[in-house]
Amino acid sequence: MKKTLALALSLFLAISTACKPAPIQPTPDTLDSKQTTLLIPDNEEQATRQNQLEFIPIYPCNGDFYQSEARYLITDNGTLMISVDAWNESFEIFQSISLKDSQHYTFSLALQESSGWLFFANCAEEHPIIHGFQFFKGHAKPLVALPTIQSETVPYMLFCGFTNEHSGYLFSFREEVRFASGALKLSELYFMQKCEDIWSSVLIQKAPQIPLKESPKFVKMINQNIGLISGRYYADDYSFCTRTLLTKDGGENWDQIAELPKMDHYWPEDVTDFREENGIYILTVSYHTDHGYKTLEYYSDNLQDWALSTHQ
């Protein structure tokens, strides 16, 4: 009797083990903004591997280094995947990227209502190729590879954005050593126009240079001519004008922004937006005050004389 029970129990365990489902490995279509891994760990080795496969936020986004609306993941076979949180969608980009080298890549993302751009480059290479892709909300169109750019320098940071629905730009900053400290200098700027499948390079005459500790925080071209670069606030440095520069000639020359109206007990920190509405330029700046943080808007019709907006 005991032998019969033992035999029945062994048979039951064998069948249960054989029928146990394998860990689920979701496809890109099933990934959502909450899905952060590709594997369900069964042991310590897989748990370690899972930690290596977490989605990582993409900075900068839409020209703001503190903003991230999507994340990326590099699988063990070199597939780059991005997950756009706002759209609750994921996309595969088939490129040979090694997991062990992923920390050397710099990324930049720009999103519109129904499409986006992603750029990345390997900073470990001396003259890397900058890859770019356009993707579309709802998978209505396939992923489109943008023309690659052969970088002339090592890109330390990339910033991309749109000037309209079909046209955009790409900034590349390189690292420079100055005495005991470093700095980031604008080294390359490219534009792509509607219906054109090529990048046009800007010959930069007067390139902005920002201390490395105040690395570019906000970078944006609002059209083919007007753009702004602003370094991030660092420690007790409130020299807003020295780290905020404007161009009026499409990026060839950059000059410090004119002084903003001063306010007692308001210390400027970071630019959070720069745009144009009906011929009026609007600049949004965050401030540190005695009572916390506050955001103010300024407007100008000539980019020289700034006034505080009363509608805030």
Side-chain angles (χ1 to χ4, degrees):
M1 181 65 176
K2 291 183 179 179
K3 291 183 179 181
T4 303
L5 289 175
L7 181 61
L9 180 60
S10 299
L11 182 60
F12 173 79
L13 291 175
I15 295 175
S16 300
T17 303
C19 296
K20 182 180 179 181
I24 299 174
Q25 298 189 23
T27 63
D29 291 333
T30 64
L31 287 172
D32 56 33
S33 60
K34 296 180 180 179
Q35 179 68 48
T36 57
T37 62
L38 288 180
L39 296 175
I40 299 175
D42 282 341
N43 50 49
E44 184 177 350
E45 181 180 354
Q46 285 194 5
T48 301
R49 177 178 172 74
Q50 173 172 304
N51 291 332
Q52 296 175 341
L53 292 175
E54 293 181 349
F55 275 102
I56 302 172
I58 298 176
Y59 298 98
C61 180
N62 291 337
D64 192 331
F65 188 74
Y66 292 159
Q67 181 180 356
S68 177
E69 297 185 20
R71 294 163 293 130
Y72 78 91
L73 179 149
I74 301 173
T75 66
D76 58 346
N77 64 357
T79 299
L80 173 64
M81 302 179 66
I82 58 172
S83 175
V84 181
D85 297 341
W87 299 353
N88 197 26
E89 292 185 53
S90 297
F91 303 85
E92 276 192 359
I93 298 175
F94 296 97
Q95 290 286 326
S96 295
I97 299 177
S98 172
L99 269 175
K100 64 185 174 118
D101 295 330
S102 61
Q103 67 269 23
H104 299 305
Y105 279 81
T106 179
F107 291 84
S108 183
L109 181 83
L111 288 178
Q112 299 187 106
E113 183 177 350
S114 59
S115 66
W117 275 0
L118 174 72
F119 291 90
F120 57 92
N122 188 348
C123 302
E125 298 177 359
E126 187 173 354
H127 297 288
I129 293 177
I130 302 175
H131 298 273
F133 290 86
Q134 186 170 15
F135 49 93
F136 302 89
K137 185 177 181 180
H139 297 268
K141 298 180 181 179
L143 206 69
V144 176
L146 299 172
T148 59
I149 298 173
Q150 181 68 61
S151 179
E152 298 177 2
T153 60
V154 178
Y156 188 88
M157 294 180 72
L158 298 173
F159 286 83
C160 65
F162 293 97
T163 52
N164 57 50
E165 185 178 356
H166 303 286
S167 305
Y169 55 86
L170 177 67
F171 285 80
S172 177
F173 289 84
R174 73 171 186 263
E175 185 178 9
E176 287 197 343
V177 178
R178 299 188 312 169
F179 303 104
S181 62
L184 292 182
K185 186 175 183 179
L186 176 61
S187 57
E188 299 171 70
L189 173 57
Y190 301 90
F191 284 94
M192 181 182 290
Q193 298 302 312
K194 179 179 180 180
C195 299
E196 293 183 6
D197 198 27
I198 59 173
W199 291 101
S200 59
S201 176
V202 175
L203 181 60
I204 303 172
Q205 305 289 337
K206 187 178 181 182
Q209 186 165 274
I210 298 176
L212 189 58
K213 66 178 183 179
E214 299 170 345
S215 58
K217 186 269 178 189
F218 187 88
V219 179
K220 184 177 182 180
M221 296 293 298
I222 58 177
N223 54 43
Q224 278 290 111
N225 298 312
I226 309 299
L228 178 141
I229 296 174
S230 185
R232 68 183 178 92
Y233 161 78
Y234 181 82
D236 293 325
D237 174 21
Y238 295 105
S239 56
F240 179 78
C241 293
T242 61
R243 55 185 166 91
T244 303
L245 305 107
L246 282 166
T247 182
K248 303 176 185 178
D249 58 9
E252 292 186 15
N253 295 279
W254 297 81
D255 297 289
Q256 291 184 13
I257 193 172
E259 289 283 349
L260 302 178
K262 294 186 179 298
M263 299 179 62
D264 292 338
H265 305 290
Y266 274 67
W267 298 276
E269 293 203 351
D270 298 318
V271 171
T272 59
D273 193 22
F274 178 56
R275 65 189 189 276
E276 183 265 337
E277 295 180 1
N278 301 319
I280 300 298
Y281 303 100
I282 302 172
L283 179 68
T284 307
V285 182
S286 64
Y287 282 83
H288 173 69
T289 74
D290 291 336
H291 305 287
Y293 292 90
K294 189 177 178 72
T295 298
L296 299 178
E297 282 191 350
Y298 299 88
Y299 67 92
S300 173
D301 60 1
N302 58 13
L303 295 174
Q304 183 62 36
D305 304 305
W306 295 94
L308 182 64
S309 174
T310 57
H311 303 290
Q312 51 190 329

